[in-house]
Amino acid sequence: MQYGICHLSITPVRVSADHTSEMTTQLLYGDHFKVLEHRKDWSRIRIAYDQYEGWVDNKQFTLVSAEAYGELDKARPSKIATDLVSFCSTGNNVLIPVVLGSSLQHLSLLDHTYEGKCVSGIQEKDKLINTALLFLNAPYLWGGKTPFGIDCSGLAQMVYKINGHTLARNAADQAGQGEALSFIEESEAGDLAFFDNSEGIIDHVGLVMKNNYVIHAHGKVRIDRLDHTGIFNTETGRYTHKLRVIKKII
């Protein structure tokens, strides 16, 4: 078994070993993973944080030892970058951009230094919405996890990650976590609202806010009204998503 770490700011993880293949998620700087299959130009990996699998370009990560991987795994919840964009410096004084939500527990391993803002450990639940607001107006991007492009489940996952909690990558898998609430009135800011399509498949998630609002990624990260029916867009005057369940994760 081989192991790796992302040493670049943002690296696509794809369905197959091809640059034209669908991107289903991203590695951010500092994400570590197992290499399940290694080919000449591509590797199939399993990300340590959420066990998500996909293909990455071999030029976009650094191999590490099994011992180093184990140390990184024990460091979770880890130190996380909280600046929208900051930089780390390599031993050769080369700057690497570091985006919001990147992991920083590996700096000594790669001989990098970081002087931006960060947070470590488990944060209080009331921090979740303030974190989500850092992504406000980020454009929707399938598989994205950054303020420069993010999808609905990526938003939920990154908000929880920054605050020291672990969520699955996809909305349907996230809906399997936590405790279901019977009524919307029982929810608190930071709980997750899940929405399904016409076939009953959960395909959307947002973070509940106070006073019957929800922040979610739909075209962009936006704030809309939330009620027992679902998400109501006041700009278009119609419901965009049908509510399935609200889950209390923490």
Side-chain angles (χ1 to χ4, degrees):
M1 179 73 71
Q2 291 182 302
Y3 304 88
I5 190 169
C6 180
H7 64 278
L8 302 176
S9 56
I10 308 165
T11 293
V13 180
R14 301 188 182 277
V15 170
S16 58
D18 192 303
H19 285 294
T20 63
S21 175
E22 173 190 355
M23 181 181 76
T24 55
T25 193
Q26 294 172 322
L27 292 172
L28 302 189
Y29 176 80
D31 284 341
H32 62 290
F33 49 85
K34 293 180 179 179
V35 178
L36 305 178
E37 181 179 350
H38 186 75
R39 297 181 183 176
K40 178 182 177 183
D41 297 316
W42 292 83
S43 292
R44 184 168 65 90
I45 68 167
R46 179 182 297 139
I47 303 170
Y49 175 78
D50 56 15
Q51 304 303 301
Y52 205 80
E53 296 182 11
W55 291 88
V56 295
D57 186 327
N58 290 340
K59 297 184 294 296
Q60 296 183 332
F61 69 87
T62 298
L63 290 173
V64 298
S65 67
E67 292 75 18
Y69 178 90
E71 289 299 318
L72 293 172
D73 240 21
K74 288 192 296 185
R76 292 185 291 164
S78 61
K79 187 162 65 172
I80 303 292
T82 55
D83 287 326
L84 183 65
V85 180
S86 50
F87 294 89
C88 71
S89 177
T90 71
N92 297 325
N93 294 320
V94 175
L95 295 180
I96 298 174
V98 174
V99 299
L100 175 65
S102 298
S103 301
L104 301 169
Q105 72 267 32
H106 66 290
L107 292 170
S108 60
L109 176 65
L110 295 182
D111 191 26
H112 290 177
T113 56
Y114 175 83
E115 297 183 357
K117 295 179 181 178
C118 61
V119 66
S120 61
I122 297 174
Q123 308 301 308
E124 296 297 325
K125 187 175 183 179
D126 59 10
K127 300 282 185 66
L128 291 171
I129 296 303
N130 285 338
T131 302
L133 291 172
L134 296 174
F135 292 89
L136 193 62
N137 291 316
Y140 181 88
L141 175 66
W142 178 263
K145 295 173 61 175
T146 80
F148 305 102
I150 198 164
D151 61 23
C152 65
S153 56
L155 173 65
Q157 187 188 60
M158 292 307 298
V159 168
Y160 272 73
K161 176 186 176 183
I162 291 167
N163 287 279
H165 304 282
T166 302
L167 274 185
R169 180 61 180 90
N170 293 332
D173 293 329
Q174 292 172 357
Q177 298 180 233
E179 172 192 355
L181 303 179
S182 301
F183 304 99
I184 193 172
E185 290 81 9
E186 297 177 351
S187 65
E188 301 174 337
D191 290 339
L192 296 182
F194 294 93
F195 308 85
D196 57 14
N197 59 22
S198 59
E199 299 176 350
I201 298 172
I202 291 176
D203 63 355
H204 194 70
V205 60
L207 290 101
V208 176
M209 302 177 70
K210 293 180 179 178
N211 302 318
N212 298 317
Y213 285 93
V214 62
I215 182 167
H216 65 127
H218 181 59
K220 63 179 181 179
V221 176
R222 54 181 294 127
I223 297 172
D224 286 309
R225 298 289 299 182
L226 176 67
D227 61 26
H228 296 285
T229 299
I231 296 176
F232 184 78
N233 186 321
T234 56
E235 296 172 3
T236 61
R238 65 182 182 88
Y239 285 94
T240 59
H241 298 84
K242 180 169 66 73
L243 181 63
R244 170 74 168 271
V245 66
I246 296 178
K247 301 294 289 282
K248 184 184 185 69
I249 307 297
I250 58 175

